[in-house]
Amino acid sequence: MKTYIIGAGSVGKALAVCLHHQGKEVELVRGREGQGKPHQQKITLQLKNEAQLEAKQDAVELYNAMYGFGVKGEKLFSLYEGKTQNEIALMHETFEKQYGVSAHERLKSEIGEEVANAILSGDPDIHSAAKAMWAMKGAGTNEEMVIEVLQDPNLSRIEEKFNQLAEKMGTKNMRDWMANTNELGSDHRKVAQACFERSDLSPEEKTQKSSELVAKADAALLRSDSERAEAILMKYQDSIAELSTQYDAQYGRGSFQKYAEDNFKGAELKRIEALSRGDKVLANVVAIENALDPDTKVKQPIDELRKYLEGSSESERIAILERFQQRNGRSFDQECVAAFGAESDEVKIVNSLLKNGELTVA
C-alpha cells in the first residue's frame, strides 16, 4: 500500500526518506490536511490520531515521573529521548490540558532550568549531555546513567554539548566531573577512562583500537555491575578471550578466572572457561550436554539446543557433534533419544532439523 505524506516540507521529506529505506512506497503530496483525495486525507488523519494517542500516553507517564516521592530520572529522560521538538510540544500541550499545569515549568522545578531547556531541543547529543549533567548533579551520582552516556559512540559530540551546558551553569566540564573521586566509583572511573580514550582516537586509530578499548570499558563494568554480567558476557561469546585479557590487565593475572569462579557454577562456569580459552566448540557442547541432562531440569531443552546449534557453518556443526560424541561415548542423536524418547516430538524436531540442514552452529 502506498503511503501519502501531506506537505512537502523538510519533516515530510525526512519521513519519506525513512519510509523509503524501509522498502515502503511513499508519495509526497503538496497542500494541507483537508486538501487532496479522500484516501490521502484519511491516511493523514489516521497518522494524526495515532500521534495524539501516543502524546496522551506519554503525558500520563510524564506526570508519574515528575510527581510523587522524588523525580524518576531514568523514566523522565527516556520520555524525551528520540522525540522531535514538535513531538515534545504535543506531549506538553496534552499534559497541560490533562493536568492544568505547565509541563515545562514543572520540568524546570524538578531538574533545573538549564537541563530542562536542553532536553526540549530535540537534539540527541544535547539530550545525552543533559542526562549526564542531571545524573552527576542530582542527589547522589546516578552512575548507571553516566555510564550509559559515556558508552555512546558519539561521545565526542556529547562531551562538546555537555561542556557548553556546564559553562552556562558555571560548573565543571565533563572530564573534570569524571576525574572527581567523589562522583564515580573506582571501577566506573576505569570505564570512563576507556570511553574517553576511545573518543579521542583518530578515525584511523579507531579502526585498530576501538574494540580493544570497548572491551577495556566492559571489563571494568563487568566487575562493578553484576546485574549486567550476563549481557556483557553474551556480547563477547565469540571473543571472550579479548574481554578476559582486558579484565586481567586491569585487575591482575588470573582475575577473570577468579571472577568466573566466584559468580558462576556448573555448566555456566565450564562454558565461560571454554570461551575464555577461545574454544567455542567445547562451550557449545557443554551447553548442549546441560540441556540434555535430566538432572538439570532445563524448562525448554529444545530451545536450548537451537540456541547453541543454530548458525550457518556446516563445518562448525560437524565439529560440535564430533566433540559431543568424543566426550559422551554416544552420538548426539542417541543422547536425544535417551533424553526424550524415540517417538517423542522433540526427537522428531531434532531429526527434521538435522535432515534439512537447518540446525547448524553459529
Side-chain angles (χ1 to χ4, degrees):
M1 182 184 76
K2 179 181 285 189
T3 298
Y4 295 90
I5 299 175
I6 308 296
S10 60
V11 175
K13 289 175 182 176
L15 178 58
V17 170
C18 178
L19 292 173
H20 179 72
H21 282 309
Q22 295 176 11
K24 296 178 180 177
E25 191 178 0
V26 183
E27 181 179 328
L28 281 168
V29 180
R30 292 191 176 278
R32 299 178 179 276
E33 184 184 324
Q35 299 175 348
K37 299 176 182 178
H39 64 282
Q40 295 171 356
Q41 296 173 27
K42 182 178 179 181
I43 291 169
T44 307
L45 289 170
Q46 182 181 346
L47 292 173
K48 184 177 179 180
N49 289 338
E50 288 176 359
Q52 289 172 338
L53 178 60
E54 184 176 345
K56 285 182 179 180
Q57 294 170 339
D58 286 344
V60 172
E61 293 188 39
L62 183 60
Y63 180 90
N64 292 335
M66 290 198 292
Y67 285 82
F69 182 73
V71 61
K72 299 175 180 66
E74 293 89 343
K75 184 61 180 176
L76 185 65
F77 281 92
S78 71
L79 284 168
Y80 287 88
E81 190 169 7
K83 281 186 169 61
T84 65
Q85 285 185 318
N86 287 340
E87 289 169 333
I88 291 171
L90 179 58
M91 178 173 69
H92 278 204
E93 180 185 334
T94 307
F95 180 95
E96 287 156 22
K97 286 180 180 177
Q98 290 181 193
Y99 301 108
V101 294
S102 166
H104 189 192
E105 292 302 318
R106 179 68 188 185
L107 189 65
K108 287 192 293 184
S109 71
E110 291 290 351
I111 63 176
E113 183 173 359
E114 295 292 349
V115 175
N117 290 340
I119 66 172
L120 301 183
S121 68
D123 182 304
D125 296 331
I126 295 176
H127 176 92
S128 294
K131 180 162 70 171
M133 179 65 76
W134 183 85
M136 287 187 282
K137 282 185 68 66
T141 303
N142 187 323
E143 296 190 47
E144 296 304 313
M145 288 181 72
V146 173
I147 294 303
E148 182 184 338
V149 172
L150 290 175
Q151 291 183 306
D152 193 304
N154 298 316
L155 178 59
S156 59
R157 299 204 309 253
I158 294 169
E159 183 181 3
E160 180 184 352
K161 301 299 183 184
F162 181 99
N163 292 343
Q164 291 171 0
L165 181 59
E167 187 175 353
K168 287 182 183 179
M169 299 174 66
T171 189
K172 295 176 287 190
N173 67 36
M174 181 176 269
R175 299 203 186 201
D176 286 344
W177 270 105
M178 301 304 171
N180 190 326
T181 56
N182 295 323
E183 301 300 338
L184 293 176
S186 60
D187 292 316
H188 279 160
R189 286 201 304 278
K190 290 179 185 290
V191 177
Q193 180 184 358
C195 291
F196 283 128
E197 285 178 26
R198 179 170 177 248
S199 176
D200 291 340
L201 295 175
S202 68
E204 295 76 17
E205 290 174 321
K206 280 186 178 178
T207 304
Q208 301 173 346
K209 297 182 179 179
S210 183
S211 64
E212 175 187 328
L213 290 170
V214 170
K216 182 178 178 180
D218 283 336
L221 195 57
L222 185 68
R223 183 183 177 95
S224 65
D225 190 348
S226 59
E227 292 184 1
R228 292 192 184 186
E230 183 178 354
I232 292 171
L233 291 170
M234 284 300 294
K235 176 180 172 182
Y236 286 90
Q237 63 175 332
D238 292 331
S239 56
I240 205 164
E242 182 177 26
L243 181 65
S244 73
T245 297
Q246 291 299 326
Y247 195 98
D248 287 353
Q250 294 183 77
Y251 301 109
R253 189 173 180 179
S255 296
F256 184 81
Q257 176 67 27
K258 187 176 186 309
Y259 167 83
E261 291 172 353
D262 289 344
N263 290 276
F264 301 94
K265 58 184 180 180
E268 275 188 325
L269 176 59
K270 291 178 183 177
R271 178 170 163 74
I272 289 170
E273 288 174 339
L275 288 171
S276 66
R277 297 193 299 270
D279 194 343
K280 186 180 177 184
V281 171
L282 177 58
N284 284 359
V285 168
V286 168
I288 291 167
E289 290 171 346
N290 188 59
L292 292 173
D293 185 350
D295 292 335
T296 61
K297 297 180 181 178
V298 174
K299 291 182 178 179
Q300 299 293 337
I302 283 293
D303 290 343
E304 286 293 296
L305 295 178
R306 282 181 180 276
K307 182 178 176 181
Y308 294 107
L309 284 169
E310 281 180 343
S312 57
S313 171
E314 188 70 11
S315 61
E316 286 181 318
R317 180 181 70 82
I318 291 170
I320 282 186
L321 298 181
E322 287 180 348
R323 183 81 72 89
F324 182 95
Q325 186 160 350
Q326 290 169 7
R327 283 170 57 87
N328 294 279
R330 291 199 295 184
S331 69
F332 173 69
D333 307 60
Q334 291 171 325
E335 285 292 337
C336 284
V337 169
F340 304 121
E343 301 301 321
S344 66
D345 291 338
E346 288 85 354
V347 166
K348 290 176 184 177
I349 292 171
V350 170
N351 287 338
S352 175
L353 291 170
L354 289 172
K355 183 178 179 181
N356 296 330
E358 295 173 11
L359 194 59
T360 53
V361 66

